[in-house]
Amino acid sequence: MRFTRRNEITVVPVWIVGDGAIAVQGVGEGRIIPVVILDTIERTDIVEYIRIHRFSGPGDVLVKWGEMTTREDTVSLTITVQRPVELEVTIAFELAKAHAILVETILKSGALYIQAGTEGDRIGNTLETPRVLLEVPDTGFGRRWEKIYLSYARKKARAEGADRRTAKAVAAERFELLKEMAAARPFPR
Amino acid sequence: MPAPVWTSLSIVTLSISLIALCASLTSLWFGWRGHVRAEAQDRRRKPALVIDLLDSRLFHMPNRRIYCFQLRVRNPSDSDNAISIADLWFLFATRAGASLIVKVPHADADVKPPDLGEALAIPSKVGAHNVATGWCWFELTDEVAGDNMIERHDLQIQDTHGLTSTVSARILQLPTESHSDALHQA
């Protein structure tokens, strides 16, 4: 029997206003790495961090996955930057806004690009905007993530009119498809 | 009621009990003293580094500033230790009113201002009950500083056990003219 400890903390999350993916030969073994554009209107410290990171050497971060208790179907990633600045950012991934592919891709590639922005920004029209590549190591969240996604996908299938058995099958199928998309590697080794 | 009869046996028993009580109290006292000594020895063995700031300088260069600190790093414990990392922490106040801590690592030897004095090697070993002294320097480029205001800066040393010691440097001396000339020539 396995016991897991829940640590509840109160944070103010940073929301994603745009997303995309980048694959660069030689980075992350050619895998697709997701890019999230964060709403930094009220977080100018994140903007400064991204700016300073261009001129300093590699930094250190700690990461922690979590689930938001005050918002349904939302997963959080808390990034504690230790070097070159001290900063904490909690990014909220809302499954209802199709952020599941972002979570799965982060878990697969072990990395994430963060970029500062505002509502309306898109990767396509902000290619020159500086961004920071963060390593997100495996913390064992994968198993919990599968349960969260399957529960969400089942709920969604039931809301679309499927019965319980069909909803379970559809959820499993959607999760397989998600894993397939996240595992794409445009640049073979 | 008849008076108690003190037989020779009861007197002997009482005496032996009193002697035993004294012996156990003495043993308790020595045991406690031994425990206090053992705790003091344990405390002395705990790793620790203490920083003393001896001198500081600030050099203004084109597009950068070099902060120099002369340190004395003491190891008061019975265990060997080593300086693993030295960082200069800046507290920036951004134009938007946010605060941000930026950590600048110890700079390379090619950035060292001339005529500064002996360098403090980082990383370096500081043996038990030993001292290491020398200068360390940190380069803050205008690119990193941006248009933020520096509210304060603290120097932090981390040892191999992850323990940190911090010292604040408020007043930095500007170099003398001879130092400035040497820098411009360099």
Side-chain angles (χ1 to χ4, degrees):
Chain A
M1 198 186 229
R2 193 190 178 107
F3 291 98
T4 49
R5 195 177 59 167
R6 261 190 177 194
N7 284 327
E8 250 190 50
I9 53 168
T10 305
V11 295
V12 177
V14 178
W15 304 103
I16 298 171
V17 293
D19 60 79
I22 292 178
V24 177
Q25 204 160 14
V27 177
E29 288 140 3
R31 286 194 172 91
I32 287 178
I33 299 173
V35 184
V36 293
I37 303 177
L38 303 176
D39 184 359
T40 52
I41 287 278
E42 289 184 16
R43 291 295 303 266
T44 51
D45 52 346
I46 299 175
V47 179
E48 265 311 290
Y49 160 55
I50 296 173
R51 186 191 69 77
I52 287 169
H53 198 275
R54 292 166 67 199
F55 309 111
S56 65
D60 291 324
V61 298
L62 293 173
V63 299
K64 193 190 281 188
W65 288 99
E67 291 171 66
M68 292 188 70
T69 52
T70 51
R71 227 177 151 97
E72 232 181 300
D73 303 322
T74 305
V75 157
S76 67
L77 176 64
T78 298
I79 299 166
T80 305
V81 183
Q82 294 179 317
R83 197 181 294 275
V85 302
E86 282 214 336
L87 185 73
E88 192 166 281
V89 182
T90 298
I91 304 173
F93 295 87
E94 300 170 273
L95 301 191
K97 290 189 182 174
H99 290 166
I101 183 63
L102 294 174
V103 175
E104 185 62 32
T105 319
I106 293 169
L107 292 172
K108 209 74 186 188
S109 64
L112 168 68
Y113 281 104
I114 61 169
Q115 182 178 317
T118 54
E119 194 70 53
D121 283 350
R122 294 287 172 265
I123 298 291
N125 52 21
T126 57
L127 279 174
E128 299 305 317
T129 306
R131 53 187 70 89
V132 173
L133 175 62
L134 304 169
E135 189 179 333
V136 181
D138 181 12
T139 58
F141 180 67
R143 262 197 289 191
R144 180 75 198 131
W145 162 241
E146 186 174 340
K147 286 188 181 139
I148 295 170
Y149 181 79
L150 288 174
S151 162
Y152 165 75
R154 271 196 300 270
K155 244 188 322 184
K156 193 169 175 210
R158 294 276 279 158
E160 286 165 1
D163 59 50
R164 203 174 287 180
R165 189 182 278 189
T166 314
K168 197 173 171 184
V170 165
E173 207 179 296
R174 283 180 181 167
F175 190 60
E176 284 308 311
L177 184 60
L178 196 74
K179 286 200 290 190
E180 230 175 86
M181 284 165 58
R185 201 186 280 203
F187 297 106
R189 257 187 282 180
Chain B
M1 192 171 148
V5 177
W6 289 97
T7 62
S8 51
L9 185 61
S10 59
I11 290 169
V12 167
T13 309
L14 182 63
S15 307
I16 291 172
S17 305
L18 284 171
I19 291 168
L21 177 64
C22 289
S24 76
L25 284 174
T26 308
S27 167
L28 190 66
W29 187 79
F30 277 112
W32 175 75
R33 294 282 297 166
H35 171 72
V36 167
R37 249 197 306 275
E39 281 212 321
Q41 273 173 358
D42 265 345
R43 267 196 305 273
R44 277 204 308 275
R45 269 198 286 266
K46 268 191 181 167
L49 286 179
V50 179
I51 318 175
D52 299 316
L53 179 63
L54 303 177
D55 198 0
S56 54
R57 303 272 162 81
L58 172 60
F59 293 86
H60 285 278
M61 316 269 285
N63 303 320
R64 59 195 174 117
R65 277 163 275 182
I66 302 176
Y67 293 76
C68 305
F69 301 93
Q70 189 183 24
L71 303 178
R72 180 174 54 218
V73 183
R74 295 181 282 125
N75 182 1
S77 77
D78 289 348
S79 309
D80 287 341
N81 208 337
I83 304 168
S84 146
I85 298 170
D87 285 328
L88 189 59
W89 290 33
F90 288 93
L91 179 63
F92 283 170
T94 67
R95 283 213 164 177
S99 291
L100 190 68
I101 293 175
V102 177
K103 300 179 190 179
V104 174
H106 182 247
D108 294 330
D110 52 3
V111 170
K112 182 191 171 203
D115 303 330
L116 194 61
E118 199 181 319
L120 175 67
I122 292 168
S124 70
K125 181 178 172 181
V126 185
H129 298 291
N130 221 324
V131 177
T133 61
W135 286 89
C136 54
W137 50 93
F138 305 85
E139 185 185 22
L140 179 67
T141 60
D142 287 352
E143 287 162 333
V144 171
D147 55 1
N148 300 316
M149 270 188 36
I150 298 172
E151 299 232 309
R152 61 179 285 170
H153 41 76
D154 295 323
L155 178 60
Q156 192 185 82
I157 300 264
Q158 188 176 81
D159 68 12
T160 46
H161 304 90
L163 301 171
T164 55
S165 307
T166 307
V167 68
S168 295
R170 290 285 169 269
I171 298 167
L172 299 169
Q173 289 184 59
L174 292 175
T176 57
E177 277 186 17
S178 59
H179 271 127
S180 300
D181 287 345
L183 278 170
H184 285 301
Q185 280 165 26

